[in-house]
Amino acid sequence: MTTTLTTDTGARLPGLIGRLTGDEKHAPSAHSTVDVLQVLYDRVLRVTPDTADDPERDRFLLSKGHGPAAYYAVLAAHGFIPDAWLDDLAGPDSRLGHHPDRVLVPGVEIGSGSLGHGLGLAVGTALGLRAQGLRTPRVYVLLGDAELDEGANHEAIAYAGATGLDSLTAIVVDNSSATHGWAGGIASRFTVNGWTADTVDGRNHTALYAALTGHRPRLPHLVVARVESRG
């Protein structure tokens, strides 16, 4: 059974997403992520507009950066950006592009959209925090299942497992759009390299919360969020 968490920000999301027009071809990509993003920002991430530059904040990296409508809507719902920005997606004077830009959009940690780079950037971010002695912040990175077709991800998977990068949580939104696959499913590709993993209904907020907070010491963690097939 799908369980949706009712919150003030969650109630606002459909209307906020509806204000973003002009990138309809990426709408399935955006809508596949909305529940993960809501649970992360409502219940998991330790970051607010006031702490967006605090070294002790959690970091969220959107590797699945094409079709960022749900991401922009969640940022607006939580006060990182004004609601009015949503009315001018990719306009000549807009800060909101078809790919998020960390220089232009408060709360955005990386510029993304070229698939396959986010997991490596998340590994580097987690290593940088470790090198600075910052042990409290966690790094969350959201990927699409088709991104795993990109080879660079597999170096990052192997390295994070080998180094016990336990501040890292990767979330793969699985809408059955990947070209390749693995016996045992997506989780098996990570666990063979020393990750822990949970596979859950990507629309079930209770299950998502449990998985997103289910990391263990000395091991990176994976959450596979299964949603309806892109068709």
Side-chain angles (χ1 to χ4, degrees), residues 2-217:
T2 299
T3 303
T4 302
L5 179 71
T6 302
T7 64
D8 290 341
T9 55
R12 295 183 62 215
L13 284 178
L16 293 172
I17 293 173
R19 295 173 69 161
L20 290 145
T21 60
D23 192 22
E24 283 72 19
K25 76 172 184 175
H26 284 127
S29 177
H31 287 278
S32 70
T33 65
V34 65
D35 293 278
V36 171
L37 290 167
Q38 183 184 342
V39 174
L40 277 168
Y41 276 87
D42 278 359
R43 304 180 66 188
V44 177
L45 291 173
R46 299 178 312 103
V47 63
T48 68
D50 292 334
T51 62
D53 295 318
D54 188 334
E56 293 287 349
R57 74 190 183 280
D58 288 340
R59 274 71 168 175
F60 171 71
L61 281 59
L62 182 69
S63 185
K64 187 182 169 83
H66 58 296
Y71 185 36
Y72 291 151
V74 168
L75 289 175
H78 284 269
F80 288 90
I81 63 175
D83 293 4
W85 286 13
L86 305 178
D87 298 327
D88 187 27
L89 176 66
D93 298 316
S94 177
R95 289 174 176 255
L96 305 184
H98 289 310
H99 297 168
D101 187 331
R102 67 172 297 275
V103 176
L104 297 176
V105 186
V108 171
E109 296 282 358
I110 60 170
S112 59
S114 297
L115 299 180
H117 298 303
L119 186 55
L121 289 169
V123 168
T125 300
L127 286 171
L129 292 170
R130 176 188 283 183
Q132 295 175 74
L134 296 171
R135 297 289 182 172
T136 301
R138 291 199 61 77
V139 179
Y140 297 84
V141 56
L142 177 60
L143 306 92
D145 59 323
E147 280 194 79
L148 298 179
D149 292 346
E150 302 287 348
N153 288 295
H154 303 287
E155 295 183 16
I157 292 168
Y159 188 84
T163 54
L165 207 54
D166 59 358
S167 64
L168 175 65
T169 294
I171 307 117
V172 176
V173 174
D174 180 9
N175 64 359
S176 302
S177 61
T179 302
H180 310 305
W182 299 271
I186 291 172
S188 67
R189 178 62 193 87
F190 288 73
T191 56
V192 74
N193 279 115
W195 292 58
T196 58
D198 292 309
T199 299
V200 299
D201 179 348
R203 303 301 187 192
N204 186 316
H205 289 197
T206 301
L208 283 168
Y209 176 75
L212 290 166
T213 56
H215 44 81
R216 290 73 151 179

